[in-house]
Amino acid sequence: MRLSRHFLPTLRETPAGAEIVSHQLMLRAGLIRQTAAGIYAWLPLGHRVLMRIAAIVRREQDRAGAIEMLMPTIQPADLWRQSGRYEAYGPEMLRFPDRHGREMLYGPTNEEMLTAIFRDCATSYRDLPRTLYHIQWKFRDEVRPRFGVMRGREFLMKDAYSFDLDPEGGKASYDAQFTAYLRTFAALGLKAVPVRAPSGPIGGDLSHEFHIIADTGESEIFYDAALDDVDLADPEAPARLRGLYAMEAEEHARAAECRVPPGRLARRRGIEVGHIFFFGTKYSAAMGFSVQGRDGAPVTPLMGSYGIGVSRLVGAIIEASHDAAGIIWPDSVAPYDVALIDLRPDDPDCAGAVAALAGQLEAAGVAVLHDDRDARPGEKFATMDLIGLPWQLIVGPKGLAAGTVELKRRATGERHMLSPESALARLTGGS
Ligand code: ATP
Ligand code: MG
């Protein structure tokens, strides 16, 4: 993709009102534009990142045996009256009548809708267990939307729902999601701490939140400091993280984690990027859902629900990975793999060589953002450092005459002068 034909409105100055670095960088790097308080348009670069994150979330959900579907954003109020949550939900729910005066709402979550759909189709124990999910926009009229996409009003969520016949099955579905979450966050280049969330009023509830450690996080969490030493590249990392889960309240942490040696209880701030919940028959019982059990007697299915903040993750990844010059995208979610910087697009030989390199990279499946703008080199370097693509391939007439191009790794700043062939081989995994 040629930058001169792209839509990438970057900003030189930090916009007023953006308090945290991820929000500032998302605006400056041209990822999003605010259209109303807590509501954002995803510009082309931001959209690519959002879709890559969603693809990783989808891959791990599918691997865990969850089945994808898509439910609407708009729901009828009647559904929520069946569960008793319509009145209880409060002003965070955006409610409105349609032209016939029917009460509608923009879904803040989908427990009711999926319980009703599954209830109307599942009749026997053979239809269970099942875990279904979708990746869909939600609306919550947050009292204080802030920090850009981190606490938006409209946001993209993956939400999964499990239906099981007995508590053992319910626990197994919960565990499958737990493992999928650790894999998902590791694939995104993030270390997510599973935090034991306080149980609700119904006995037997089980719940974990997943937090990214960051000073700008809105939650305070307590955890075994041994977590800081877990290497994400270690295949045992998911198991180790799981053994070291943390608590949201210090008293809980001290009471339940007596196995944490004194002095090893760390206190940090976290960004909640996921939340899993096993709540048993709460919705199925309220909404009259039962299936015929193995012995012929009716069984009320046990349910869990499992959310990931897909759009919040864009901000969380930037909080975890940036420097003074801009964003540093992990390879797995970068909007493009390589920034191909043409230092002299006005020089036909240079432009020809760069176009050939772009063609070869793209043919090998590498996503290239080709900076062919008529601009000074310093401006090009600054733009590319700001938008944070993992690699920069810098090509100019002097280097070409000497048979070299320059390859820079954004994360480390490491630079190598290479022949164009070796640079291509590195970027396409050929050496
Ligand atoms: P929070 O405590 O941050 O308000 P929540 O507990 O209300 O979140 P859940 O109902 O658990 O949120 O939703 C699942 C996930 O959706 C959260 O873990 C979070 O990552 C994401 N999420 C929730 N609210 C927002 C929001 N306003 N903006 C962006 N993402 C959100
Ligand atoms: Mg939550």
Side-chain angles (χ1 to χ4, degrees), residues 38 89 92 108-109 111 138-142 145-146 148-159 181 185 208-211 218-219 248 271-277 305-313:
Y89 210 91
E92 271 192 17
T109 180
E111 277 83 2
K138 306 290 185 284
F139 194 94
R140 295 183 186 174
D141 206 349
E142 299 275 356
R146 58 177 188 157
V149 300
M150 296 270 240
R151 183 164 298 284
R153 294 198 295 166
E154 189 185 52
F155 58 96
L156 188 60
M157 195 202 286
K158 181 285 298 182
D159 39 325
Y181 275 43
F185 298 127
H208 285 88
E209 294 174 356
F210 292 77
H211 285 261
E218 291 187 281
S219 320
E248 234 181 328
I271 302 167
E272 183 193 317
V273 290
H275 193 170
I276 60 177
F277 210 147
S305 71
Y306 315 91
I308 290 184
V310 176
S311 50
R312 179 178 287 183
L313 272 165

Side-chain angles (χ1 to χ4, degrees), residues 12 341-345 371 373-383:
R12 230 180 278 266
I341 302 176
D342 184 347
L343 295 176
R344 287 285 305 279
D371 192 347
R373 290 175 303 167
D374 178 20
R376 282 176 301 107
E379 191 179 333
K380 297 189 174 194
F381 298 143
T383 300

Side-chain angles (χ1 to χ4, degrees), residues 353 357 393-407 416-424:
L357 279 168
L393 184 58
I394 303 151
V395 185
K398 274 196 209 122
L400 284 176
T404 59
V405 293
E406 189 177 355
L407 186 61
H416 293 284
M417 301 301 286
L418 302 166
S419 68
E421 295 72 30
S422 329
L424 277 176

Side-chain angles (χ1 to χ4, degrees), residues 197-214:
S199 299
I202 304 163
D205 284 5
L206 184 57
S207 176
H208 285 88
E209 294 174 356
F210 292 77
H211 285 261
I212 305 305
I213 306 295

Side-chain angles (χ1 to χ4, degrees), residues 303-355:
M303 292 177 58
S305 71
Y306 315 91
I308 290 184
V310 176
S311 50
R312 179 178 287 183
L313 272 165
V314 181
I317 290 169
I318 297 172
E319 287 295 323
S321 186
H322 66 269
D323 64 14
I327 301 168
I328 303 173
W329 291 115
D331 297 78
S332 59
V333 300
Y336 293 89
D337 304 309
V338 179
L340 180 56
I341 302 176
D342 184 347
L343 295 176
R344 287 285 305 279
D346 57 332
D347 172 333
D349 290 342
C350 188
V354 175

